[in-house]
Amino acid sequence: ERSLAESAAAMAAADCAEEVAFLDAAADLGRALAAAGVVCVHGGGKQGCMGALHRATKAAGGVVHCVIHETFVDEELALGADELIITRGDDLSERKRLLFERGQCLISLPGGVGTIDELFDAIAGVHVGLSTLPICLVNTDGYYDDVIAQLERAQTDQLLRKPWRGQAGKLKPAQKAVLDCFEERGVTRNKLEDGVMVATAATKFWVKWDGES
């Protein structure tokens, strides 16, 4: 049985996306995780970027754990998960908590309000010292440019306790495997201040990070 230290939680759009670059980015991530032997943890959807991630991971022989709210099971559940957790309740807080707990790093693909909610929840947890979860933004076609600009504005206006690029800790060896598999696909690593990692492009990930090579 795989250790959760070999897992990455991915957040992504669960609706039918028509942007091919977004779907390609999700599929590339799935194949990269499978190649590295890293368990892919996601929200259990079969459509959009989440579905592309799920299918590509499984097709490449990877392991997928799904954490889905009961509301979405009948119409949206992706089939073939190696482990399935169904949450209940009148909000998505339990689902988010389990996603964060089961991933040793968090990778945010393009997504809608649910993805953005999860992303900022994770950043806030690190910001106030309740979490050390490393965070990566897959900024395909500049999707997260405005999010980054908003965080930069908040920092410029001195509304943050500490620089937003310091909201993610250094990578631990098990988490480093995720970026190692990216490197095999042509990643350039650039030493930067502690921070949220920003990845760009659809089929090649450029990762800014701080940690040991």
Side-chain angles (χ1 to χ4, degrees):
E1 183 175 346
R2 292 174 183 267
S3 166
L4 291 182
E6 300 172 331
S7 63
M11 307 175 301
D15 290 323
C16 292
E18 297 182 359
E19 178 55 62
V20 174
F22 295 166
L23 298 175
D24 285 347
D28 281 349
L29 174 61
R31 287 188 286 269
L33 294 175
V38 176
V39 174
C40 176
V41 184
H42 69 75
K46 65 181 180 181
Q47 299 178 345
C49 292
M50 196 181 300
L53 170 71
H54 180 90
R55 291 188 295 275
T57 306
K58 293 297 296 180
V63 175
V64 177
H65 294 176
C66 293
V67 182
I68 190 169
H69 192 278
E70 62 179 350
T71 299
F72 309 123
V73 169
D74 290 342
E75 296 183 2
E76 299 185 23
L77 178 63
L79 301 179
D82 296 278
E83 182 174 348
L84 173 63
I85 299 174
I86 299 175
T87 64
R88 295 174 172 79
D90 57 6
D91 60 30
L92 299 175
S93 58
E94 180 70 1
R95 182 190 187 206
K96 284 193 293 185
R97 183 183 68 80
L98 290 174
L99 281 170
F100 295 168
E101 284 184 357
R102 299 183 74 80
Q104 293 302 301
C105 65
L106 189 152
I107 302 173
S108 189
L109 291 157
V113 292
T115 299
I116 294 171
D117 169 58
E118 291 161 352
L119 171 62
F120 274 93
D121 195 337
I123 292 176
V126 177
H127 187 68
V128 299
L130 296 177
S131 171
T132 58
L133 188 69
I135 302 164
C136 176
L137 305 181
V138 180
N139 196 29
T140 304
D141 283 358
Y143 183 78
Y144 282 113
D145 283 355
D146 289 338
V147 170
I148 294 168
Q150 183 64 62
L151 290 168
E152 294 284 5
R153 171 67 187 272
Q155 182 173 322
T156 298
D157 292 346
Q158 300 182 348
L159 300 177
L160 302 181
R161 298 184 182 186
K162 49 191 175 183
W164 78 270
R165 288 184 183 273
Q167 304 311 296
K170 293 183 179 180
L171 299 177
K172 298 177 182 178
Q175 298 153 357
K176 181 171 170 286
V178 178
L179 293 186
D180 283 344
C181 72
F182 289 168
E183 188 171 48
E184 293 173 6
R185 299 183 64 83
V187 172
T188 299
R189 287 180 174 179
N190 294 292
K191 288 262 182 165
L192 195 68
E193 58 190 307
D194 278 2
V196 173
M197 297 169 282
V198 180
T200 60
T203 58
K204 183 179 291 186
F205 297 89
W206 175 41
V207 178
K208 296 178 179 179
W209 72 304
D210 180 78
E212 297 179 356
S213 296

